[in-house]
Amino acid sequence: MGTTLEYYDFLIYGTAASLVFNKLFFPAADPLVGTLLAFAAFGTGFLARPLGGILAGHWGDRVGRRRMLILTLTTMGLSTVAVGLLPTYSVIGVWAPVLLVALRLVQGVAAGGEWGGAALYGVESAPPDKRAFYGSFTGAGISIGGLLAIVVFALMNALFPDTMLTWGWRVPFLLGGLLIVVGLVARQGVDDVPPQPESGAPPSIPLLTVLRHHPRALLLTFGLSLGYNAIAYIGFSFFLTYAVAVGHSAGQSLGAQAVFLTGTTLFSLVSGALADRFGRRPVVLTGAVLTGFYLFAFFWLVKNGSPVLFYLAFALASPLTASMKGATPAMIAEQFPAAVRYSGASLGYQLGAALGGGLAPTVATLVFVSSGRAAWSVPLLGLAVAALVAACALGLPETMRRPVAASTRTPQEAWR
């Protein structure tokens, strides 16, 4: 519940960047240029996520997961309400995008601390044979948060279409701040993950231990996260821009995105269950390979297909993306020992999210524009990042049967 609400707040910016922020905060003669600037601001939230991961990871390893989860949720709610109250470019000029970027940075810090804590809470609370399934609720929560963002924007667009560029766009942000209260009540009512005596006391600076003794795990989880997040956020943000650019209405695009996110919610849980049965690595590898090649068919269907094929393209994309999303939390968390797990998992994932998720919509838009809006351009980019996911998954050890509290490597084994 907490992850759903926090990522609703974080992801409504992506929807707004695709549909209205290019006009309200980044006016330009070419709508795609305005969209490019809006996506660049979208990316600043991702650049702040490693800082959030480092801060929450340090204190999460030392004082527990639950306190950090409450803090990140509160920070996200307050910054989201502030976005909903911002004056636009026509009112305060250049200060509008400056303040928007500043608040986006605060959102990024909050989101950076959220993923690691939520994923670890699930994995560490789970029975030994269901760790990936419990961890997959983090991925499902992110998808539900995105789905809520899409639904709220679609309802506002349908009920008050003439207000979206005046006050209608503010409603999803203000609503997000109110919903955070629900998540806070939920998190206040649960116990923290109990300490694991066999893991030992956390070091005074957990991040230094990760950098010294687990560099290989950190590097490979970074690459895995970079590739996965690039694919995921091309799907969440650029797909909307592309659909509108080739002639589909904003309403159709939002509907197709809702189909995509509904599918990723369900199949994230399926992916987690499969990862508990067959292993983390086979599930992530299969998803990466199939996604890389399917993107070529996806873009062709969106551009040339009938309305039925248009929605089918999004529906077929969802289980492929979800196969990586559902298994990734456990795969990353299990690479680090319990005493430094929050720091290691958060930093590896959030560094990848910063570069992959933050830059992917901007790079995809640049590639699309510079190629003359060719349908093959972004799929080629997607194939490259899917190959990165596959390579990093092959480099990481299979951890399905490894005790969650055990150290993954001795210092001497760190680079083997």
Side-chain angles (χ1 to χ4, degrees):
M1 184 181 293
T3 302
T4 291
L5 297 177
E6 182 152 0
Y7 271 83
Y8 164 82
D9 281 7
F10 189 69
L11 294 173
I12 50 176
Y13 184 99
T15 306
S18 300
L19 301 176
V20 296
F21 277 0
N22 57 332
K23 304 178 182 70
L24 295 173
F25 289 90
F26 306 95
D30 185 343
L32 269 177
V33 174
T35 301
L36 185 62
L37 293 173
F39 277 155
F42 177 70
T44 62
F46 286 85
L47 296 179
R49 284 174 64 168
L51 175 60
I54 290 171
L55 294 174
H58 176 83
W59 293 110
D61 280 328
R62 294 186 59 80
V63 304
R65 286 51 167 133
R66 177 174 165 273
R67 294 183 187 180
M68 293 302 102
L69 289 173
I70 291 173
L71 179 62
T72 60
L73 197 61
T74 303
T75 303
M76 180 66 78
L78 293 175
S79 58
T80 300
V81 170
V83 171
L85 297 174
L86 269 185
T88 61
Y89 189 93
S90 63
V91 177
I92 59 172
V94 70
W95 282 107
V98 169
L99 291 173
L100 180 65
V101 169
L103 289 171
R104 185 63 182 165
L105 287 170
V106 176
Q107 283 190 321
V109 171
E114 165 69 21
W115 184 92
L120 298 190
Y121 194 94
V123 171
E124 293 175 340
S125 301
D129 59 344
K130 293 184 178 179
R131 296 198 305 258
F133 179 65
Y134 276 44
S136 70
F137 276 80
T138 302
I142 293 172
S143 290
I144 297 172
L147 181 60
L148 285 176
I150 292 292
V151 168
V152 171
F153 262 97
L155 285 174
M156 291 300 301
N157 191 51
L159 297 175
F160 309 103
D162 298 330
T163 69
M164 288 304 291
L165 293 177
T166 53
W167 58 267
W169 69 270
R170 299 181 184 275
V171 174
F173 289 91
L174 298 176
L175 179 62
L178 294 174
L179 288 174
I180 287 295
V181 176
V182 179
L184 286 174
V185 171
R187 288 188 169 174
Q188 289 282 5
V190 299
D191 296 326
D192 208 342
V193 178
Q196 297 166 327
E198 65 269 38
S199 66
S204 57
I205 306 179
L207 181 60
L208 289 182
T209 300
V210 172
L211 294 174
R212 289 172 180 169
H213 299 323
H214 307 281
R216 186 173 185 272
L218 183 64
L219 182 64
L220 290 174
T221 54
F222 159 66
L224 178 69
S225 173
L226 190 157
Y228 158 69
N229 275 284
I231 292 173
Y233 282 96
I234 287 174
F236 183 76
S237 294
F238 181 77
F239 281 4
L240 279 173
T241 301
Y242 179 74
V244 172
V246 297
H248 297 282
S249 69
Q252 287 177 319
S253 300
L254 287 171
Q257 189 71 290
V259 170
F260 174 73
L261 289 169
T262 301
T264 55
T265 300
L266 172 63
F267 285 104
S268 289
L269 302 177
V270 173
S271 169
L274 290 174
D276 281 324
R277 183 174 179 82
F278 300 107
R280 288 73 166 120
R281 189 160 53 186
V283 174
V284 173
L285 271 174
T286 300
V289 172
L290 293 179
T291 298
F293 288 105
Y294 173 71
L295 284 173
F296 291 92
F298 172 86
F299 278 80
W300 186 91
L301 288 171
V302 170
K303 183 177 182 180
N304 301 300
S306 65
V308 173
L309 292 177
F310 172 67
Y311 288 107
L312 180 63
F314 280 84
L316 293 176
S318 61
L320 303 182
T321 303
S323 62
M324 293 177 283
K325 175 179 281 190
T328 294
M331 189 173 195
I332 291 179
E334 292 167 352
Q335 303 301 321
F336 301 95
V340 296
R341 184 172 292 134
Y342 204 148
S343 295
S346 288
L347 183 60
Y349 183 85
Q350 298 303 343
L351 283 174
L355 291 179
L359 295 179
T362 305
V363 172
T365 304
L366 280 172
V367 168
F368 183 58
V369 172
S370 62
S371 68
R373 308 191 182 194
W376 51 263
S377 57
V378 177
L380 197 60
L381 174 67
L383 181 62
V385 294
L388 175 63
V389 173
C392 291
L394 284 171
L396 288 168
E398 179 56 62
T399 54
M400 179 177 66
R401 303 189 187 282
R402 178 177 290 158
V404 73
S407 175
T408 58
R409 292 178 180 84
T410 64
Q412 293 75 20
E413 295 173 328
W415 281 104
R416 291 181 187 174

